[in-house]
Amino acid sequence: MEDWMKQNWTNDVYPFATSNITNKTLLMWHNKLKFVKWIMALSGTILIPCYIIGIFGNILLILTITKCKKFHTPSYILSANMAVSDIVLLLFGIVYLTVSAIMVENPIFNSGAYKIICKSTFFSLTASLVTSSQSFIAISLDRYKSLNFKKESKSPFQKRKILLTAIALTWILGIVFAFPIVFIVDINSKFPFMCDLRSVGRSNNLSMPISRLFLGFLTYPVPLIIVSCLYYRVIARIRTAVTALDNNHYIINQNHLRYRQVDATKIMILATTLFMINSLPLFVSWTIIALSKSSFVNLFLSNGNYIFTLIYGSFAWSVLNSMQNPIVFFIYNKRFRNAVINHFRQRNFSTSSRRAYKR
């Protein structure tokens, strides 16, 4: 590997370029590389099949929502939009795991190509994650405006133009918020086998830590606060309606659609809660790196292997967020589950009919 790196990597990212490197440093470097190889092999073996299952699950969610008219509501359409971003996230998660495993085992990319792969992969991962968080905000706003039992209240997203505008905004915000990643992600000369998050700007200023903190808060705490406030009001409305029903002051069952809205809202609250819980380790790791004024690689090299395990594990776990919605919808949403089952039955029936006709 060293001979290949001498020929294909520039001196600024080659750890053996300097002649004053000690045997102790060299031994530490090789031990770290051995540990990373083991983690990459283990995570790739476990996570890549999970990511592939998640991709098929989100495709199934999109097909079910688009083909069943009863799911042509703003919340479900926004969920389909989130499923698209989840597919992108899972695809690039597979790319990152595959490329990282190749780089630590037998590098086939030079420094320039690997840097481009790191930047594009992390940009896509961040954009998809931000798009999903913004989609949850839009869904919570739709639930807040729809569930009003005291008077007729319609969600603004029921208007096609507003709904399409909201979907476009989730992607625009995702791309805009992810743009700083292009400058944050780099390759560290001390350990050029994995993507790194730069510790300081090119002028040795604090622009990188500040950018990382700003991006982290826009991606997690801000959506969490907005969604929590909206769903708190929604839950309060549901409780008030149920109390009124018990006291015969308000006959909620006169409008069966309200029951469907309440059930759909419960599913959305559960999906949002799981997303926020699973994203918390990533936000904590991201904040630790920013506040430490150090890069990911430097933290890994200067501390124990547990640092790499915790931070890398939080990134991998956050990608698993993208496979939760199809599972939640299928388990807890009876209407969605029946629609999926009927869809497969109809496909099997049509396939059998075509075969019988050919005979």
Side-chain angles (χ1 to χ4, degrees):
M1 181 181 292
E2 292 183 29
D3 293 336
W4 184 93
M5 291 183 64
K6 290 178 181 178
Q7 296 175 2
N8 293 274
W9 289 69
T10 56
N11 289 338
D12 61 325
V13 294
Y14 180 56
F16 302 121
T18 57
S19 58
N20 58 352
I21 189 169
T22 63
N23 291 332
K24 182 179 179 180
T25 302
L26 185 62
L27 179 61
M28 180 273 294
W29 188 86
H30 278 292
N31 289 335
K32 294 286 186 181
L33 181 60
K34 184 178 179 180
F35 175 77
V36 172
K37 285 182 179 181
W38 181 80
I39 290 294
M40 292 297 180
L42 180 63
S43 60
T45 303
I46 297 175
L47 294 178
I48 289 181
C50 293
Y51 291 175
I52 293 174
I53 294 173
I55 290 172
F56 282 105
N58 280 288
I59 292 174
L60 183 60
L61 186 147
I62 294 171
L63 291 176
T64 303
I65 291 176
T66 55
K67 290 189 175 183
C68 298
K69 291 184 178 180
K70 59 185 176 182
F71 296 127
H72 291 180
T73 62
S75 290
Y76 281 108
I77 294 175
L78 288 168
S79 296
N81 172 65
M82 187 162 50
V84 175
S85 67
D86 288 342
I87 291 172
V88 175
L89 186 63
L90 291 167
L91 283 173
F92 277 93
I94 293 174
V95 171
Y96 174 72
L97 288 175
T98 304
V99 172
S100 298
I102 292 173
M103 289 305 299
V104 298
E105 190 64 37
N106 186 22
I108 61 175
F109 305 104
N110 58 31
S111 59
Y114 186 46
K115 186 179 293 187
I116 292 174
I117 292 173
C118 285
K119 290 179 180 294
S120 59
T121 300
F122 271 79
F123 173 83
S124 301
L125 290 172
T126 306
S128 300
L129 188 62
V130 173
T131 300
S132 295
S133 66
Q134 303 307 308
S135 296
F136 275 120
I137 293 178
I139 292 172
S140 64
L141 181 60
D142 171 70
R143 295 291 85 199
Y144 173 75
K145 298 297 292 185
S146 297
L147 281 174
N148 192 334
F149 298 100
K150 293 184 179 180
K151 59 180 180 180
E152 288 296 326
S153 178
K154 293 184 178 181
S155 167
F157 297 119
Q158 290 183 356
K159 296 181 179 179
R160 182 180 178 86
K161 290 184 178 180
I162 296 179
L163 179 60
L164 294 178
T165 301
I167 292 174
L169 280 176
T170 60
W171 286 96
I172 292 173
L173 290 174
I175 294 173
V176 171
F177 288 173
F179 184 72
I181 285 292
V182 177
F183 304 99
I184 294 174
V185 175
D186 206 345
I187 299 175
N188 196 312
S189 60
K190 297 179 180 179
F191 200 81
F193 303 109
M194 49 190 285
C195 304
D196 192 22
L197 303 175
R198 295 178 57 192
S199 56
V200 294
R202 297 193 179 278
S203 302
N204 291 325
N205 53 37
L206 297 179
S207 60
M208 290 298 110
I210 293 174
S211 298
R212 287 185 294 192
L213 282 174
F214 180 74
L215 179 60
F217 275 89
L218 286 178
T219 305
Y220 186 80
V222 173
L224 175 62
I225 293 172
I226 296 175
V227 170
S228 299
C229 291
L230 291 175
Y231 277 136
Y232 175 81
R233 297 293 299 274
V234 169
I235 293 173
R237 289 176 180 177
I238 294 175
R239 288 179 176 176
T240 302
V242 171
T243 303
L245 176 61
D246 294 338
N247 297 329
N248 293 323
H249 293 156
Y250 185 76
I251 308 302
I252 191 174
N253 57 6
Q254 288 182 350
N255 189 352
H256 185 65
L257 180 61
R258 293 300 186 187
Y259 278 125
R260 293 182 179 180
Q261 290 179 342
V262 170
D263 290 339
T265 301
K266 291 178 181 178
I267 302 299
M268 300 303 175
I269 291 176
L270 176 60
T272 305
T273 302
L274 290 175
F275 178 86
M276 293 302 175
I277 292 175
N278 293 333
S279 298
L280 180 59
L282 176 61
F283 172 71
V284 172
S285 299
W286 188 269
T287 304
I288 289 174
I289 297 175
L291 293 178
S292 66
K293 299 179 183 180
S294 181
S295 69
F296 177 31
V297 169
N298 288 336
L299 283 175
F300 171 49
L301 295 178
S302 59
N303 295 277
N305 293 338
Y306 71 92
I307 291 292
F308 176 84
T309 304
L310 292 176
I311 296 177
Y312 179 78
S314 67
F315 276 90
W317 186 260
S318 66
V319 179
L320 286 176
N321 258 330
S322 300
M323 60 182 298
Q324 73 173 19
N325 282 355
I327 298 175
V328 171
F329 275 60
F330 188 83
I331 294 177
Y332 295 99
N333 193 328
K334 184 177 180 180
R335 295 171 64 236
F336 182 83
R337 181 170 61 252
N338 292 336
V340 173
I341 295 173
N342 292 334
H343 174 69
F344 277 105
R345 286 176 177 173
Q346 292 174 0
R347 289 198 61 181
N348 292 334
F349 176 78
S350 61
T351 302
S352 301
S353 300
R354 285 197 299 268
R355 289 177 180 175
Y357 178 78
K358 289 181 181 179
R359 293 177 182 175

